[in-house]
Amino acid sequence: MVLPEGFALPPLPYLVGLLAAVALVGGALARSDPHVSDRIVLALAPWVVVGSSLHALFVLQWVPEAVAPLLGTPSVYLSTFVVAGVVWLAGIHAATDPERPVVAVGVLAASAVVAYALARGSATGLRLFWPLAGLVLALLLAGILWAATRWSHPSVTAATGATGALALFGHSLDAVSTAVGVDLLGFGERTPVSRAVLDVAASLPTADLLGVGWLFVVVKLAIAEAVVLLFADFVREDPREGFLLLGAVAAVGLGPGAHNLLLFMVTG
């Protein structure tokens, strides 16, 4: 198996409605032919946090039953795309700078969902130290790796810009949060491929001293760095598709990382 635990399609009425909404919004965006750059990828980043935080609420069973099928895996990705896409479309047609409404509404929505989760989790006690320490470490590792890339491959950082940095940070956050959860907080890993890496680390002589998460961090960062290096030419040749795909790579790391941190904080 390569799919994470909990991966399941929603009931058929929800699935049909969700796919129809994705088709409508996706088609409208395609017809609008929006300009795609670093700025829109960064503007969409808060929406990744919205989706991952809503999924954390779903895992905790803190959402109404009527909307729960829209917030599982993989439904939450499609649901978030629909809402973010509508906001993007509104920005395209109503603003000279469409990125501003996208990021503004995304930040407000992410703040609201996270605030609700923290408020509800505070009833049983929050666990803030290790998740926040993991966030700081992820920022530090991503910053060091980005600086090293800028020194050794300046053309790569120039081409990929902030989206490349976001990709490194997203996967750093996913890796570090997974290590914190497994080694320090007693959480498991739901993705089979990630579990395989952790199992390899558990078989090494370093397991008792260093835990098992360090190998996952190394592997994740190495893969993220390789992807950023490989995407540089693609972004130069086709900025629209290059930035969108590199943004998707960033989201694949940022989403699970943000989900992990919020889940750790509210399950104290």
Side-chain angles (χ1 to χ4, degrees):
M1 289 183 62
V2 296
L3 297 177
E5 293 177 9
F7 187 98
L9 296 176
L12 186 59
Y14 285 90
L15 180 60
V16 172
L18 195 53
L19 292 177
V22 169
L24 286 172
V25 173
L29 281 171
R31 288 191 298 272
S32 298
D33 194 25
H35 176 66
V36 177
S37 66
D38 237 3
R39 295 187 66 199
I40 192 61
V41 173
L42 293 182
L44 289 168
W47 289 98
V48 178
V49 179
V50 172
S52 60
S53 300
L54 286 172
H55 185 60
L57 296 182
F58 168 83
V59 171
L60 295 166
Q61 299 182 343
W62 288 356
V63 295
E65 290 186 10
V67 300
L70 299 175
L71 304 179
T73 303
S75 303
V76 68
Y77 307 121
L78 303 180
S79 303
T80 305
F81 167 78
V82 169
V83 179
V86 169
V87 175
W88 190 2
L89 282 168
I92 292 170
H93 295 294
T96 56
D97 190 0
E99 291 86 1
R100 289 187 177 182
V102 172
V103 70
V105 178
V107 168
L108 287 174
S111 299
V113 177
V114 171
Y116 171 75
L118 293 177
R120 184 154 180 176
S122 64
T124 55
L126 297 175
R127 177 167 46 187
L128 300 178
F129 177 78
W130 285 117
L132 292 178
L135 174 60
V136 172
L137 180 57
L139 281 167
L140 180 62
L141 290 175
I144 292 172
L145 190 54
W146 183 247
T149 306
R150 190 171 183 177
W151 174 77
S152 60
H153 298 85
S155 62
V156 170
T157 56
T160 59
T163 304
L166 180 65
L168 292 183
F169 169 68
H171 286 275
S172 176
L173 185 66
D174 182 25
V176 172
S177 64
T178 298
V180 168
V182 171
D183 285 333
L184 301 174
L185 302 180
F187 281 81
E189 173 55 45
R190 298 194 303 171
T191 305
V193 175
S194 300
R195 279 204 305 268
V197 176
L198 295 172
D199 289 342
V200 170
S203 68
L204 298 176
T206 56
D208 291 336
L209 180 63
L210 300 178
V212 299
W214 68 270
L215 182 61
F216 186 65
V217 172
V218 171
V219 170
K220 261 282 197 178
L221 290 181
I223 293 174
E225 174 70 7
V227 169
V228 171
L229 293 175
L230 290 172
F231 262 75
D233 287 337
F234 186 21
V235 172
R236 291 190 199 96
E237 294 169 4
D238 190 341
R240 176 193 292 265
E241 291 192 14
F243 277 123
L244 282 177
L245 289 176
L246 189 55
V249 169
V252 169
L254 181 61
H259 171 272
N260 287 346
L261 291 189
L262 185 61
L263 200 62
F264 298 164
M265 288 180 183
V266 300
T267 53

